[in-house]
Amino acid sequence: MSDDFLTVGGLTGLIKERLEADPALVDVWVRGEVSESFMAKSGHWYFTIKDEDASLPCVMWKGVASRQHVLPEGGGAFTFHGGITIYRRNGKLQLQVDEIVAEGQGDLHARFEALKARLLEEGLFERARTLPPYPRRIGLVSSPDAAALRDVWHVIGRRWPSVELLLAPTRVQGDSAPAEIVAAIEAIGRAAVDVVIITRGGGSLEDLWAFNDESVARALFALTVPTVAGVGHETDFTIVDFVADLRAPTPSAAAEVVTPDGDELRYAVDDLALRLGRLAHGSLEQSRAGADRLAHRLGVASPGRAVERARAATAERRERLRRAMAGRLREAASGTSAFARRLEALSPNATLARGYAHVTRDPDGRTVRGTADVAPGTGLRVQVADGRFDAVVAGQAGLFDMFELDPNDTDALDADAPATNPSASDSHGAD
Amino acid sequence: MSNDAGQPTDEAAEPDMAHWDTHVGIESLDLETVKDLPFEVAYEALDEAVRRLETGDLSLENSIAIYERGIALSARCGSLLEAAELRVQQVDADGQVTGEVAL
């Protein structure tokens, strides 16, 4: 007799090890009918599943059982998922069940997979058109009273409020839902929108089922504008998600991807308007300086008897120039001209009052647009609504002198006085 | 940002989409049409106005014309970004707006 033997525990341990190393046995789907089922006082379930040929003991722990839609009551036919193991106490092989799928559910899953495979083969999942960056009309296929609709409305209203949001209302669950969703998709397709969002809030697999309907998938695919799906939660995938040009994890996320970032654009527009005002003013000052120089030259270049005539010519010329410009500018600055109001609207103060600050670098006056424009120690000039202050990137402060456009400043052009420094910052303080 | 301004697909394009021809020059942009420009066109034109002024070398006349258009364009852009509360409108089976959805 050999000394080379295993203990019983050692042997069952070895069997257990082998069983649990086999991927085909630790992750297995099996179909059978339940018999000899009972729930122990502990809450664990013990039962046997069988078909014509065989039977297999099963266990399902309490925690797992509490998550199931169906329980393994005797006589029920289900599909079970779990892993094969051996119970060492009695050497019994058993299936440790972690999921039970009822007949109908199993069908749903199989149908989903079959449809998905078929539509994939047909090319219905290949759409990935570019979304319009600045849509003017957004179409929405949603239930009219869903939280999802409010989410979408809220996000779009914040980011891109001038868009037209058109809703094709539909029921999104129940037997009539697929047909209604198809009708809504077709309706929104006739509404000349730039992009379509199809959306529904979270729900159970059954709740989302209409979005796995083939007719819905085909209707969505037929749309000639890009589509974005925001159905259910992040972990929910429906056929509609695959058909859409873009799948967003939630309704809010769908609203976000179809709209530009309004805050960023507001900043960009304000910045351009500010530059425009400064440039325009500089250009006017240049013209004025040119006219003054001309007048001056006429004045000094007239000797002897010609002086009087030249002076007259100078005055006349100067007067004409003055009139030409002043007239144009006065007209512009008068209340009748939209020009004046626009100047007013352009005043940096209007922008700054909204909470923006205009930050320039002290050394070169360049607008700071990003972190790359500054370094520790860079001097900054910061203009805010009620004044200005200097700052240093982590450091000291100094004086700030920033040009401000003021419609009243155009009066200066009327004055006969010599040109003043166009960049004088106190032009605003006079009024 | 302004270069890849997206055109809606042909079916969705509206006939009144006013385009500003970059070859004509910003001075010739009709002030009235500015009010109807879509954002990307207005923004691009505004950017162009600033660039034109930056190059300098313009007559007073042109400066004013460009400036005036720039103001109108920035107002147009601003109005698109500051629109009143977003409304949701319902469409019927023909895609026609039938009314507002209360939220």
Side-chain angles (χ1 to χ4, degrees):
Chain A
M1 182 168 163
S2 169
D3 285 342
D4 188 16
F5 60 83
L6 288 170
T7 61
V8 177
L11 181 55
T12 51
L14 181 63
I15 294 170
K16 186 178 166 72
E17 211 173 274
R18 291 286 165 88
L19 287 173
E20 292 177 1
D22 186 337
L25 294 179
V26 294
D27 174 19
V28 64
W29 286 98
V30 59
R31 188 155 214 178
E33 192 184 310
V34 178
S35 66
E36 299 163 42
S37 166
F38 76 97
M39 187 183 79
K41 282 206 184 84
S42 59
H44 307 320
W45 283 78
Y46 300 93
F47 55 99
T48 301
I49 58 173
K50 59 172 188 178
D51 56 18
E52 303 89 65
D53 302 323
S55 67
L56 180 70
C58 296
V59 59
M60 184 166 67
W61 308 123
K62 179 185 178 181
V64 173
S66 68
R67 292 197 303 268
Q68 302 307 309
H69 295 294
V70 290
L71 288 167
E73 320 256 20
F78 306 108
T79 306
F80 302 86
H81 182 264
I84 295 291
T85 185
I86 187 170
Y87 184 50
R88 291 168 67 171
R89 278 289 180 77
N90 60 9
K92 243 167 94 176
L93 199 74
Q94 60 184 17
L95 178 71
Q96 196 169 304
V97 173
D98 55 32
E99 191 180 348
I100 303 180
V101 179
E103 201 78 8
Q105 272 187 306
D107 280 359
L108 280 188
H109 190 256
R111 271 163 51 200
F112 174 83
E113 291 298 338
L115 178 61
K116 188 176 147 193
R118 194 151 50 80
L119 297 183
L120 174 69
E121 176 78 15
E122 246 187 79
L124 259 69
F125 299 165
E126 282 161 22
R127 288 247 198 266
R129 291 166 289 199
T130 309
L131 304 183
Y134 308 105
R136 276 171 290 157
R137 295 181 114 184
I138 296 174
L140 193 56
V141 173
S142 167
S143 163
D145 45 24
L149 174 59
R150 285 199 69 85
D151 288 351
V152 167
W153 172 75
H154 185 76
V155 170
I156 294 179
R158 174 168 52 80
R159 290 172 63 90
W160 191 233
S162 65
V163 77
E164 280 187 71
L165 187 54
L166 302 185
L167 171 72
T170 172
R171 240 173 294 187
V172 291
Q173 72 188 79
D175 291 344
S176 67
E180 281 197 33
I181 295 173
V182 167
I185 291 171
E186 287 170 355
I188 210 70
R190 296 184 188 108
V193 294
D194 302 328
V195 60
V196 168
I197 300 174
I198 180 166
T199 193
R200 188 206 188 290
S204 70
L205 181 68
E206 290 81 2
D207 288 344
L208 301 179
W209 199 249
F211 293 84
N212 289 322
D213 187 275
E214 179 167 355
S215 61
V216 171
R218 292 193 183 280
L220 193 66
F221 184 75
L223 282 181
T224 53
V225 293
T227 55
V228 175
V231 177
H233 296 304
E234 200 151 359
T235 51
D236 299 322
F237 273 89
T238 63
I239 295 290
V240 157
D241 286 315
F242 295 113
V243 175
D245 291 82
L246 190 66
R247 185 240 177 199
T250 62
S252 298
E256 197 146 319
V257 296
V258 301
T259 48
D261 183 345
D263 284 340
E264 196 179 290
L265 295 178
R266 277 186 275 274
Y267 178 82
V269 169
D270 285 343
D271 185 54
L272 281 177
L274 204 66
R275 280 162 65 197
L276 181 79
R278 300 177 69 170
L279 288 162
H281 189 87
S283 160
L284 294 184
E285 288 292 348
Q286 239 171 26
S287 298
R288 184 180 65 167
D292 283 335
R293 269 199 306 279
L294 179 58
H296 183 66
R297 259 169 55 203
L298 280 167
V300 299
S302 311
R305 292 196 54 179
V307 165
E308 208 54 39
R309 200 176 54 205
R311 188 166 291 152
T314 303
E316 192 254 357
R317 202 144 185 181
R318 184 170 189 161
E319 178 62 17
R320 270 169 55 202
L321 273 167
R322 194 186 67 79
R323 272 173 200 238
M325 269 192 303
R328 196 151 51 212
L329 292 167
R330 197 185 300 108
E331 175 198 336
S334 75
T336 59
S337 167
F339 185 64
R341 289 194 298 277
R342 285 165 183 159
L343 273 170
E344 184 70 54
L346 184 76
S347 163
N349 285 337
T351 302
L352 299 174
R354 300 217 315 268
Y356 289 91
H358 184 248
V359 180
T360 51
R361 293 200 299 217
D362 198 15
D364 57 9
R366 281 190 51 190
T367 297
V368 175
R369 289 168 206 291
T371 51
D373 292 340
V374 299
T378 304
L380 301 174
R381 297 174 166 184
V382 182
Q383 170 87 6
V384 293
D386 65 343
R388 45 187 84 126
F389 57 86
D390 274 18
V392 171
V393 174
Q396 70 182 65
L399 260 183
F400 175 53
D401 171 78
M402 176 181 150
F403 169 75
E404 266 194 306
L405 185 62
D406 183 336
N408 297 324
D409 198 38
T410 55
D411 293 345
L413 298 178
D414 277 348
D416 229 6
T420 54
N421 179 0
S423 68
S425 65
D426 58 357
S427 62
H428 199 60
D431 52 66
Chain B
M1 162 160 36
S2 53
N3 293 332
D4 60 347
Q7 300 300 311
T9 50
D10 294 341
E11 289 79 359
E14 289 171 26
D16 66 348
M17 170 113 177
H19 273 284
W20 158 66
D21 184 350
T22 49
H23 301 292
V24 178
I26 193 84
E27 303 93 317
S28 64
L29 180 63
D30 178 20
L31 277 173
E32 274 306 301
T33 67
V34 169
K35 283 184 272 186
D36 299 319
L37 289 178
F39 181 85
E40 63 273 25
V41 178
Y43 184 86
E44 191 178 345
L46 172 60
D47 193 52
E48 171 71 11
V50 170
R51 272 185 281 130
R52 285 288 302 281
L53 287 176
E54 269 170 351
T55 58
D57 206 22
L58 294 166
S59 67
L60 179 61
E61 196 85 50
N62 276 350
S63 295
I64 290 179
I66 291 173
Y67 176 64
E68 207 167 0
R69 276 148 189 81
I71 294 295
L73 289 162
S74 72
R76 170 61 179 161
C77 289
S79 77
L80 286 171
L81 292 166
E82 305 289 352
E85 186 170 86
L86 176 66
R87 295 184 309 153
V88 183
Q89 293 179 310
Q90 188 165 325
V91 298
D92 61 15
D94 295 323
Q96 299 299 311
V97 171
T98 56
E100 199 166 326
V101 181
L103 281 168

